[in-house]
Amino acid sequence: MAGLRLHEKRVLMALRMLNGKASVDDVAEKGDLAHAAVMRAALTLSEKGLIRVHEKRWKVAILSQEGEYYAQYGLPERRLLRTLLRLGGEADVDEAAQEAGLDAKMAPIALGWLKRKNWGVIKGKKCALTVNMEPPPTIDEKLLATIFEKRLVKVEDLTEDLKQALEALRKRNLVEIEEKVYRELELTEEGWRIARKGVEIVEEVTQLTPELIVSGHWRNVRLTKFDVTAPGPVVYPGKVHPLQQIIQRAREIFLEMGFTEIRGPLVETAFWNFDALFQPQDHPAREMMDTFYLANPQTGRLPSKRLVEAVAKTHEDGWITGSKGWRYKWSGEEAKKLVLRTHTTAETVKYLATHKKPPIKVFSVDRVYRNEQVTYKHLAEFHQIEGIVVDKKVTLRDLMGTLKTFYTKFGIEKIEFWPSYFPYTEPSAQAVAYHPKLKRWIELCGMGMFRPEVLAPMGIKCPVLAWGGGLERLAMIELGLDDIRMLYANNVGWLRRTPLCR
Ligand code: PHE
């Protein structure tokens, strides 16, 4: 029959020789094929309607490690019996057990079975035999020996008595019952028709080699036909983590938009993280519950005295900014405290202290820390996307346009700007995006124009557009996740399912 491959033909012919029905193992032997090759051929043959595959499940008994041991050295009761026989038929229980090499755990078990098998009785601390010569193996011992010899026995082949003995051995944890799948192949009528006619078994060539071509031998061989529509094996190539891909994409987009990357340390002084951003020293965000403070070392160095004084004055009474300030006594000690930065805005404001000449367009994609309960939407360690634009005539509209462009490049279309509040911006807003899976708006970033209280101490004379937001939130939308923790869960299934390219 055309369309049959070599292994399929061999299986058909083997089945013919085996009277049309045989186990996979027998077919493998007759057809001189590997077990797996028979199974593969059986699958396609049954699809072609030439054979039927019957699947039978057997319960088989195999020995546990302990069972193996006893099969070789005897059950504990048998060993105790032999010892007692040697000691004259009666002995102190502990002594006999020790003599028989039974430990404290095994001794009572051996005694129990000695009694149950009517080999002996216990009188106080003494044990006396009721037999005066070694009894023949009991049914459970015989079964143990059989399983040991055959490696496994089919449960359904056992007699009722043996089944009971098996159950007793199983309860003693000496045997284990396992399920084995056994497959039998059977020729269908159509299969018989073809097998009876006999199929020509010609070696097939699966690979066309240079030798075959050069020698011209290819004319005489049969080339194996391939089903190019058959599903291939799934391969799981190594790939960049989805979150890392998104970080890379964020960088690319910023670069496309003409921004330059800046980076800073994970550990910052409270000065850069809070004070320089006009966050008062009693601001709730500064508390331990929200911010991780370093235990060792506890403090860092403050920048130039001029800058520190300007920030201090602005906090206290507004300095030259026209603001009234926060009206409290600013503390340098508080500002020196080291924190794990809670936002990358610490880096942008620090950048402004040393880069004052517009135009400036810088960004960062970096790690930040918050002392938060980890939930489906919060992490204690995450990434922020941050950026600033400094130029003579920029407005909030430019900021909205910039962000709209940024997030659209990311593939997020449904984005809105809602009013918000930050101590360091005025006006302030937040960009939100619609999460189709969570069916609600989620915050993408905070944004605004730095207040004069932030800019004056840094010596900046033109408007500064600033924004910062969570990268993982963006990843949730991108990857369709409803739980942010998945990004760090090392869930191999999810990592494999997430496509390399979207
Ligand atoms: N730093 C703010 C945050 O962490 C975001 C922000 C940055 C807001 C810049 C306004 C300006 O949420």
Side-chain angles (χ1 to χ4, degrees):
M1 182 193 182
L4 281 185
R5 300 171 56 169
L6 181 62
H7 287 180
E8 295 171 352
K9 288 178 185 171
R10 284 221 192 138
V11 168
L12 281 188
M13 296 321 285
L15 274 170
R16 187 176 94 162
M17 285 188 271
L18 292 162
N19 298 322
K21 192 171 181 180
S23 71
V24 171
D25 288 332
D26 291 345
V27 172
E29 208 186 303
K30 258 283 185 286
D32 194 21
L33 289 166
H35 188 99
V38 175
M39 283 311 300
R40 267 197 305 274
L43 200 72
T44 48
L45 282 171
S46 77
E47 275 166 11
K48 291 173 186 170
L50 302 181
I51 68 164
R52 266 187 295 270
V53 181
H54 303 286
E55 217 168 74
K56 269 199 217 152
R57 283 168 198 275
W58 282 349
K59 281 205 163 52
V60 297
I62 57 166
L63 294 184
S64 69
Q65 223 176 3
E66 211 183 345
E68 296 255 342
Y69 179 81
Y70 291 142
Q72 293 171 78
Y73 302 105
L75 287 174
E77 61 269 28
R78 172 73 64 180
R79 286 160 60 188
L80 185 62
L81 171 94
R82 285 183 188 143
T83 308
L84 284 164
L85 277 174
R86 221 169 358 96
L87 295 174
E90 189 171 323
D92 181 83
V93 171
D94 294 336
E95 233 174 75
Q98 205 183 7
E99 189 77 7
L102 300 170
D103 61 21
K105 217 179 75 202
M106 279 328 291
I109 296 174
L111 275 170
W113 282 98
L114 196 79
K115 253 171 44 188
R116 270 167 82 172
K117 290 187 174 172
N118 285 324
W119 291 345
V121 289
I122 295 158
K123 301 183 207 143
K125 291 211 107 256
K126 286 233 181 284
C127 178
L129 287 184
T130 50
V131 293
N132 46 24
M133 50 182 258
E134 183 155 349
T138 50
I139 185 163
D140 53 344
E141 288 176 305
K142 283 189 202 152
L143 182 59
L144 198 66
T146 312
I147 306 176
F148 183 67
E149 194 189 311
K150 296 192 174 163
R151 311 313 305 178
L152 93 193
V153 301
K154 253 163 88 179
V155 176
E156 67 175 68
D157 288 351
L158 299 177
T159 61
E160 250 341 282
D161 285 356
L162 283 168
K163 276 189 187 148
Q164 266 175 33
L166 182 70
E167 183 53 18
L169 290 177
R170 199 192 56 79
K171 280 202 187 126
R172 292 179 79 174
N173 289 326
L174 306 185
V175 302
E176 282 155 16
I177 310 291
E178 277 185 359
E179 198 174 70
K180 276 244 179 323
V181 186
Y182 167 87
R183 290 188 184 84
E184 208 172 45
L185 311 183
E186 186 185 15
L187 287 176
T188 60
E189 224 164 283
E190 178 66 4
W192 259 122
R193 206 176 55 73
I194 291 164
R196 228 179 269 121
K197 268 198 297 185
V199 286
E200 191 195 359
I201 296 196
V202 184
E203 278 307 317
E204 290 187 347
V205 171
T206 51
Q207 213 170 29
L208 196 57
T209 59
E211 290 73 27
L212 279 173
I213 297 172
V214 171
S215 67
H217 189 52
W218 62 271
R219 288 175 221 275
N220 312 323
V221 298
R222 188 170 298 173
L223 294 172
T224 303
K225 289 214 170 81
F226 288 100
D227 177 3
V228 290
T229 62
V234 184
V235 281
Y236 297 111
K239 60 185 180 190
V240 176
H241 191 284
L243 190 63
Q244 202 57 44
Q245 286 184 41
I246 289 175
I247 291 175
Q248 281 167 8
R249 182 72 195 120
R251 285 212 170 96
E252 273 168 24
I253 294 174
F254 273 124
L255 295 173
E256 280 167 19
M257 292 173 67
F259 285 80
T260 309
E261 183 165 8
I262 57 168
R263 299 196 73 172
L266 300 180
V267 175
E268 277 292 3
T269 50
F271 180 86
W272 290 117
N273 198 80
F274 299 119
D275 296 282
L277 287 163
F278 197 53
Q279 295 197 60
Q281 294 187 327
D282 62 358
H283 192 281
R286 290 205 188 205
E287 290 192 9
M288 283 284 206
M289 288 109 64
D290 294 299
T291 304
F292 289 113
Y293 283 86
L294 254 65
N296 189 21
Q298 274 179 1
T299 55
R301 230 176 310 164
L302 292 181
S304 74
K305 205 168 156 212
R306 229 194 38 215
L307 182 53
V308 174
E309 263 169 19
V311 167
K313 292 277 303 158
T314 311
H315 275 243
E316 285 172 358
D317 60 21
W319 191 43
I320 53 161
T321 63
S323 158
K324 287 185 187 161
W326 295 111
R327 315 219 147 232
Y328 70 104
K329 180 90 189 89
W330 189 84
S331 148
E333 286 315 302
E334 192 60 37
K336 270 191 198 163
K337 286 187 181 162
L338 288 173
V339 301
L340 290 181
R341 66 173 174 213
T342 62
H343 53 187
T344 40
T345 318
E347 310 313 333
T348 39
V349 72
K350 198 177 188 182
Y351 186 83
L352 287 178
T354 47
H355 301 78
K356 304 169 202 288
K357 229 183 100 212
I360 295 172
K361 280 168 92 175
V362 294
F363 77 96
S364 80
V365 183
D366 235 330
R367 246 169 222 234
V368 298
Y369 300 83
R370 292 201 192 156
N371 200 347
E372 294 223 47
Q373 182 80 35
V374 175
T375 66
Y376 77 95
K377 59 172 179 170
H378 287 295
L379 294 166
E381 178 179 11
F382 58 100
H383 292 83
Q384 269 193 336
I385 306 174
E386 182 97 20
I388 46 169
V389 175
V390 187
D391 213 346
K392 290 203 186 87
K393 283 198 176 107
V394 286
T395 65
L396 193 70
R397 257 181 192 290
D398 296 304
L399 181 53
M400 293 197 294
T402 303
L403 288 181
K404 178 101 187 154
T405 307
F406 179 84
Y407 288 114
T408 308
K409 277 173 178 275
F410 241 109
I412 296 173
E413 269 146 38
K414 223 166 160 185
I415 151 167
E416 288 187 1
F417 298 100
W418 295 355
S420 187
Y421 171 80
F422 297 97
Y424 33 94
T425 50
E426 181 61 39
S428 304
Q430 58 174 322
V432 291
Y434 191 73
H435 191 309
K437 205 160 165 189
L438 289 179
K439 289 199 178 32
R440 55 184 191 80
W441 293 90
I442 67 171
E443 189 192 330
L444 287 176
C445 71
M447 57 195 274
M449 300 181 65
F450 276 147
R451 299 176 73 105
E453 291 94 327
V454 173
L455 297 180
M458 302 300 138
I460 304 283
K461 303 244 155 52
C462 38
V464 176
L465 311 176
W467 74 95
L471 177 89
E472 281 80 355
R473 294 281 182 86
L474 199 58
M476 280 175 85
I477 302 180
E478 270 283 288
L479 301 166
L481 292 178
D482 49 18
D483 190 328
I484 203 164
R485 292 168 291 197
M486 184 60 100
L487 293 168
Y488 293 93
N490 285 332
N491 181 321
V492 177
W494 176 72
L495 289 171
R496 282 180 167 169
R497 281 194 305 278
T498 305
L500 196 54
C501 309
R502 276 179 301 276

